[in-house]
Structure formats: structure tokens, C-alpha cells
Amino acid sequence: QVQLVESGGGLVQTGGSLRLSCAASERTWSSNAMAWFRQAPGKEREFVGGIAWTGGNGFAADSVKGRFTISRDNARNTVYLQMNNLKPEDTAVYYCAAGSFVHPRSRPADFRSWGQGTQVTVSV
């Protein structure tokens, strides 16, 4: 299965920005779809956005639309999550995942490969 490694998390003040990266070991038909999820303490894992290696632009979930942008660099086998105007409620562990399909209502079970997660903390 594809191996995924997230990076770029850290501590940022309210209103700041971070860019997360997810490096994939390979691109295959079964891992054509890439997604970002996040999980805050005591909450369920939440879909953030997605993109396909062979598709067009990435898309963000309604909860973060307008602040978060998903993009990719096929030459580097890397997807990105650009997070702007961060808020304390964005604090969570952010995960990237790979699967066959991604859509605005994707669930964690739709994805077979997962990264280890990277912590994002927005200070108040």
C-alpha cells in the first residue's frame, strides 16, 4: 500500500497560516484520490478536503472553504493543505489519506492508506 508522510504542522497564532505537506510513496489507480482529515480531542475524524492525481483542482469541505486550499505536485508525489486565517477551532491532528475516490462527503472508511498525522495548534 502507498506510504504517506505528513509534515508542516506546528503552533501558530490565531489568524496565522500553515502549509501542510503529504508525501506519497507512489501514485496508483487504487490511491488516485488524496484527502485531508482532521481530528480534535473528543471529536470524530472530519473531512477537510480532497484532490485526485489525475483530476483537476482540489476542493475543501464547507467547514473550511474559503480558508483552506488543497493542491498537488505530481512530480514530487506530494499534496498540500494551505491553511489561512487559522482559528482555535482548527486545532487538531491533521491526516492525509489515499483511496480510489474522493468527494465532498468522503468518510474515513473510504480511504485505505493513512499518514501518521501532524499536530496543528492555534493559540488563543
Side-chain angles (χ1 to χ4, degrees), residues 98-116:
S100 297
F101 306 98
V102 63
H103 56 82
R105 302 185 69 178
S106 288
R107 301 175 179 178
D110 296 332
F111 299 88
R112 303 297 181 182
S113 299
W114 292 83
Q116 82 288 348

Side-chain angles (χ1 to χ4, degrees), residues 3 12 19 26 28-29 35 40 46 49 53 60 65 70 74-75 78 84 87 92 99 106-107 118 121-123:
Q3 305 297 122
V12 65
R19 188 180 74 163
E26 60 183 330
T28 69
W29 181 254
E46 175 190 18
W53 296 114
K65 192 173 298 182
I70 292 82
N74 286 31
T78 301
N84 298 326
K87 304 175 181 180
S106 288
R107 301 175 179 178
T118 185
T121 302
V122 184
S123 64

Side-chain angles (χ1 to χ4, degrees), residues 3-9 21-23 36 45 93-97 113-119:
Q3 305 297 122
L4 305 174
V5 180
E6 302 99 332
S7 62
S21 299
C22 176
W36 288 96
R45 192 163 295 189
V93 177
Y94 284 72
Y95 299 90
C96 63
S113 299
W114 292 83
Q116 82 288 348
T118 185
Q119 176 70 47

